[in-house]
Amino acid sequence: MKPRRPPYLVPFALAGLCAQAIAGPEVSEEDFLKPLPIVLTASRLPQPLRETPGSVTVLDEELILATGYRNVARLLRLVPGMQIGQSRGHDQWVTYHGLGIDYPNQIQVLIDGRSVISSGGGVGGADWSGMPIAVEDIERIEVVRGPNSAAYGSNAFLGVVNIRTRHPRAETGSSVGFNAGDGLFDTTARVAGSTGPLGLRVTAQHQQDEGTAGISDDVDLNRANLNGSLRLGDYDEINFRAGVSEGRRGLGNPDTPFNTDGLRNGRHESNFVDVEWRLVRSTEEEITLSYSRTSDQYRDEWLGGDPRRPLPGAGIVIVPVNNNADFVGEAVRFQHTSAPFGDTRAAWGAEWRSDRVEGSFLFHDSGEHRQSDRRLYGSLEWHVSPEWVVNTGATVERVEGYRSRVVPRLAVNWLAAPEHTWRAGFSRAYRYPSLFERNADVKLPFLDTFLRRHVPNPGLKPQRVDAFEVGYLGQSSDHKGMLDVRVFRERVTDLIRRETVTPEPTSNPVIRQLRELLGSSRWENQSDAVTLTGVEYQLRYEPVRNGQLIFSHTLIDARSKEARAERSVAPYIASLSWLQQIGDWQGMLTVLRMGPVDFGTSFIPGYRRKVDAYTAVDASIAWERRIGGNPVRVSLSGINLFGEHQEVANRPLQQRIGDRPANEVGRQVHLGLRIGF
């Protein structure tokens, strides 16, 4: 392996140059802080960006609307460090710094503080296509770039995506919206209003997409959400949210061995309820207590075997196969924020979570598995002086079947000037194995025995990351430019990945041939560490009135004795966007660049596929005006305007057709109309 030079010095030189470039006339700290957003996700305390213990990217409502994007996963491509690909029309591959070797489940995903990580549809992760939220309801998305288990526990291994919806009392009125274009049709209806202490918003949406030509990936989704707030008195309120969603998705591939991934339609149903009591005692003290319950049901059934090809000595063999699963997750959360003394603020709390997943085919010997998770966390912000801020925090977490672990974090921020902030920090995080990774036991009945596809591994250990980072946040004195830089070194040990298992011996030649053909696997801990070293930065600049340039760039050097782990990290990612508002017109043009990476769905023993680097161009233009007193917005949006390219390898399909990219995503253009009442 040729040595590679880590980009250690790049950010320091860049930050130094920018510090000179964006310096200007002296302004007060109060003036400087005005345009910087207050974020909640990094430490669970409301903090301006310059005082957070980690790097945070904010996608606000204006940017989200300007993109014309129809889903959250596409929006996250604008965040430094996010490595995202699309395998099918409804299958999004979302990671931060890669390492999604077999399934991307390294980040925590929250909607209004509620985790949407589920074990119902696979090894544990967010269902990005079936997510129970309409883009139209999102007020902002906060992305913590870096491990944050000290605040959010196990799933926040490499980062946190926190999707915040608008408060129901913050808007009134109704609207309807439509998107129609290349194989897609969406309809959205929203109603929001308040009466006395009660505020309500109801959103209903239907999304239909024919997917990618030549691939079974069409999708038909329906979702409905209720978001409400009831003010009980001068200081407290109850916030409640509920939603249902259901849909159908095209799955499978033709001509896979023994039809192990046959063409079929999968269905899912999901519902949730989330109730929160919030008491605001003062500007510095707040108490919240909440309960949430999520239920997911997946139905994915087909017949294995091939009626056209009889097996020697066995004839025609047809085997019922399914990935059916029922998931139920419950959580109780408590949090107290206060200013205990002097120049400090603190947030502490506790959370209990219980997950249950049932699947008689996925867990052959037991059919059902449960797991509970208890954690106690705390964060402390200390303003040592006007120039220095110390953030410290820790979580004590106990996951059923594992010993208790303490996850610490420490960060020091130097507010060198109103325009310049430097930060250095250390954090540790664990990701515990999902119920499926630890307990999967999949057996295909065949003759008088079984063909075992997945083998459980009850001894699977949690993976761990130790992360060191240096950050810089600079803003020009005229508020027209901002630079965010993060230099990092992340060392991952006991990485969980899927490995081939030697088939059980047999004297039957037919069974032996099938076991070798289909293969067997289980999740194991990688013996060698993976070290990620690099730099990521984002520059925002307004060179002209109502125009904004956003440039994000990430360089990562992945090192491991396991080449497979190295290949799962793209060495570079970049995005360049231009937003412009001229009168009633608004436009956005984005160029996305992704380096080569080994991203792939499904597991085939010994088969790997590197996806080549690609460039994608997205654009959206919109016209908005009041007509008869009603706001009307007409937009024309498109993604992948440069044409077709592959982003994630569909391994069964790719192996069948050879070197030519099998599952390319292509151009999709749609016309949008939204009318408010």
Side-chain angles (χ1 to χ4, degrees):
M1 183 184 302
K2 293 182 179 180
R4 289 163 289 181
R5 180 174 298 174
Y8 292 117
L9 302 179
V10 174
F12 296 106
L14 180 64
L17 290 173
C18 289
Q20 299 279 338
I22 66 177
E26 274 194 32
V27 292
S28 68
E29 183 172 351
E30 181 181 356
D31 290 335
F32 171 69
L33 290 176
K34 284 181 180 178
L36 281 179
I38 302 296
V39 296
L40 304 171
T41 311
S43 64
R44 293 182 179 261
L45 288 166
Q47 296 173 301
L49 277 177
R50 68 195 308 239
E51 296 178 9
T52 63
S55 297
V56 183
T57 298
V58 178
L59 305 178
D60 59 26
E61 186 176 5
E62 180 184 358
L63 177 64
I64 292 171
L65 182 63
T67 63
Y69 292 158
R70 301 167 57 236
N71 58 68
V72 173
R74 194 79 186 184
L75 287 165
L76 294 178
R77 295 179 186 238
L78 305 178
V79 177
M82 296 297 294
Q83 300 191 3
I84 298 173
Q86 187 172 351
S87 171
R88 296 172 176 266
H90 56 70
D91 192 3
Q92 305 283 346
W93 198 269
V94 180
T95 74
Y96 177 73
H97 290 178
L99 293 183
I101 296 177
D102 299 298
Y103 197 85
N105 54 2
Q106 314 285 2
I107 57 177
Q108 175 65 280
V109 185
L110 309 170
I111 299 180
D112 292 321
R114 177 182 66 92
S115 175
V116 293
I117 300 296
S118 168
S119 294
V123 296
D127 182 1
W128 293 98
S129 298
M131 192 166 285
I133 189 172
V135 172
E136 291 82 354
D137 287 339
I138 299 175
E139 180 181 54
R140 64 195 293 170
I141 302 174
E142 297 181 5
V143 182
V144 179
R145 303 176 351 249
N148 204 13
S149 287
Y152 293 96
S154 170
N155 289 317
F157 185 72
L158 287 180
V160 179
V161 175
N162 190 8
I163 304 167
R164 311 285 300 187
T165 63
R166 284 184 292 277
H167 195 281
R169 286 201 299 268
E171 57 179 331
T172 58
S174 307
S175 67
V176 293
F178 307 91
N179 291 321
D182 291 332
L184 67 89
F185 183 73
D186 305 336
T187 58
T188 305
R190 305 175 70 251
V191 179
S194 300
T195 174
L198 178 64
L200 288 174
R201 181 179 67 245
V202 178
T203 302
Q205 185 175 67
H206 170 75
Q207 287 189 317
Q208 183 177 329
D209 196 329
E210 294 179 1
T212 308
I215 299 177
S216 175
D217 66 346
D218 57 311
V219 61
D220 196 314
L221 297 174
N222 298 291
R223 58 172 66 96
N225 290 332
L226 168 69
N227 195 327
S229 179
L230 177 63
R231 185 171 292 162
L232 302 178
D234 293 336
Y235 305 105
D236 62 337
E237 64 181 4
I238 291 180
N239 299 311
F240 50 94
R241 309 168 189 94
V244 296
S245 64
E246 63 87 23
R248 176 192 57 79
R249 312 178 199 194
L251 299 170
N253 298 284
D255 299 325
T256 54
F258 205 64
N259 203 34
T260 51
D261 192 24
L263 294 173
R264 75 260 187 204
N265 284 320
R267 301 197 63 88
H268 83 274
E269 296 180 5
S270 178
N271 62 76
F272 75 90
V273 62
D274 185 14
V275 181
E276 175 192 70
W277 173 67
R278 178 170 175 257
L279 172 64
V280 181
R281 289 182 168 178
S282 68
T283 57
E284 299 291 348
E285 186 176 12
E286 179 179 310
I287 296 174
T288 59
L289 177 65
S290 62
Y291 166 81
S292 64
R293 185 182 190 276
T294 302
S295 174
D296 297 325
Q297 184 182 81
Y298 295 85
R299 292 296 176 263
D300 178 13
E301 303 171 334
W302 72 101
L303 295 176
D306 191 342
R308 300 168 299 176
R309 299 186 179 94
L311 297 175
I316 300 296
V317 176
I318 301 297
V319 178
V321 184
N322 72 71
N323 289 322
N324 296 343
D326 295 322
F327 168 81
V328 176
E330 294 181 280
V332 177
R333 306 182 299 274
F334 169 82
Q335 181 170 305
H336 180 211
T337 61
S338 64
F341 48 84
D343 297 314
T344 64
R345 291 191 304 152
W348 72 275
E351 181 172 357
W352 168 85
R353 180 181 174 93
S354 174
D355 290 344
R356 175 177 62 85
V357 61
E358 181 179 357
S360 58
F361 198 83
L362 299 178
F363 307 104
H364 183 271
D365 289 338
S366 58
E368 178 183 292
H369 285 277
R370 299 171 181 264
Q371 181 172 279
S372 64
D373 180 357
R374 292 165 291 172
R375 66 177 66 105
L376 181 68
Y377 63 85
S379 295
L380 178 69
E381 175 195 85
W382 178 24
H383 284 256
V384 180
S385 71
E387 295 81 23
W388 292 92
V389 179
V390 175
N391 282 279
T392 184
T395 288
V396 180
E397 186 168 28
R398 176 68 180 269
V399 175
E400 186 176 349
Y402 296 93
R403 63 178 176 84
S404 299
R405 286 179 168 86
V406 179
V407 184
R409 176 178 60 197
L410 175 65
V412 178
N413 295 34
W414 177 35
L415 314 182
E419 300 91 355
H420 308 295
T421 300
W422 294 85
R423 180 189 67 253
F426 165 80
S427 59
R428 174 173 294 170
Y430 290 93
R431 185 182 75 79
Y432 289 84
S434 70
L435 287 170
F436 187 74
E437 287 172 326
R438 191 180 180 191
N439 302 294
D441 187 10
V442 179
K443 299 176 180 179
L444 305 180
F446 180 73
L447 300 180
D448 58 349
T449 184
F450 293 96
L451 304 175
R452 201 166 194 178
R453 299 299 312 280
H454 292 284
V455 179
N457 185 359
L460 195 61
K461 297 184 293 185
Q463 60 187 37
R464 167 177 154 176
V465 61
D466 292 299
F468 296 87
E469 68 174 79
V470 175
Y472 168 78
L473 183 66
Q475 187 179 24
S476 63
S477 57
D478 59 5
H479 304 157
K480 291 184 178 181
M482 187 171 71
L483 176 67
D484 174 15
V485 181
R486 178 177 185 251
V487 187
F488 56 87
R489 184 181 186 273
E490 299 162 344
R491 187 174 187 271
V492 180
T493 53
D494 292 320
L495 178 68
I496 298 172
R497 67 181 205 176
R498 196 169 169 185
E499 295 288 355
T500 302
V501 176
T502 302
E504 298 171 352
T506 178
S507 59
N508 188 317
V510 177
I511 296 176
R512 182 170 59 250
Q513 181 182 7
L514 279 175
R515 284 177 175 172
E516 292 174 353
L517 174 66
L518 300 179
S520 183
S521 65
R522 73 174 185 174
W523 274 269
E524 297 181 352
N525 295 107
Q526 180 173 299
S527 59
D528 184 59
V530 182
T531 302
L532 307 177
T533 307
V535 56
E536 60 194 32
Y537 57 93
Q538 184 176 80
L539 174 66
R540 291 173 175 253
Y541 183 58
E542 300 178 14
V544 298
R545 184 179 181 182
N546 296 326
Q548 186 179 30
L549 179 74
I550 305 175
F551 177 61
S552 300
H553 187 207
T554 302
L555 298 169
I556 304 179
D557 179 55
R559 297 291 185 96
S560 175
K561 293 180 181 178
E562 299 287 345
R564 183 179 166 200
E566 288 188 350
R567 293 196 304 263
S568 70
V569 181
Y572 58 85
I573 323 116
S575 68
L576 177 64
S577 300
W578 177 261
L579 289 81
Q580 184 65 57
Q581 177 90 35
I582 302 176
D584 297 331
W585 292 87
Q586 181 186 59
M588 181 169 177
L589 176 67
T590 298
V591 180
L592 304 165
R593 179 68 176 172
M594 179 77 164
V597 65
D598 187 350
F599 276 176
T601 60
S602 299
F603 180 79
I604 298 179
Y607 179 79
R608 309 306 304 173
R609 165 74 181 188
K610 184 183 77 171
V611 177
D612 293 333
Y614 65 86
T615 300
V617 176
D618 302 342
S620 182
I621 186 170
W623 174 82
E624 188 168 3
R625 178 179 290 182
R626 284 191 170 271
I627 300 178
N630 298 323
V632 177
R633 181 181 177 88
V634 181
S635 60
L636 180 65
S637 306
I639 62 174
N640 300 323
L641 298 179
F642 267 14
E644 296 183 344
H645 60 271
Q646 188 179 45
E647 297 183 357
V648 178
N650 184 313
R651 292 187 182 119
L653 190 60
Q654 192 66 60
Q655 186 186 46
R656 182 169 61 87
I657 72 169
D659 292 334
R660 178 176 59 85
N663 54 316
E664 293 183 307
V665 295
R667 182 184 300 111
Q668 193 173 60
V669 179
H670 68 269
L671 184 67
L673 172 65
R674 189 172 71 180
I675 304 173
F677 304 98

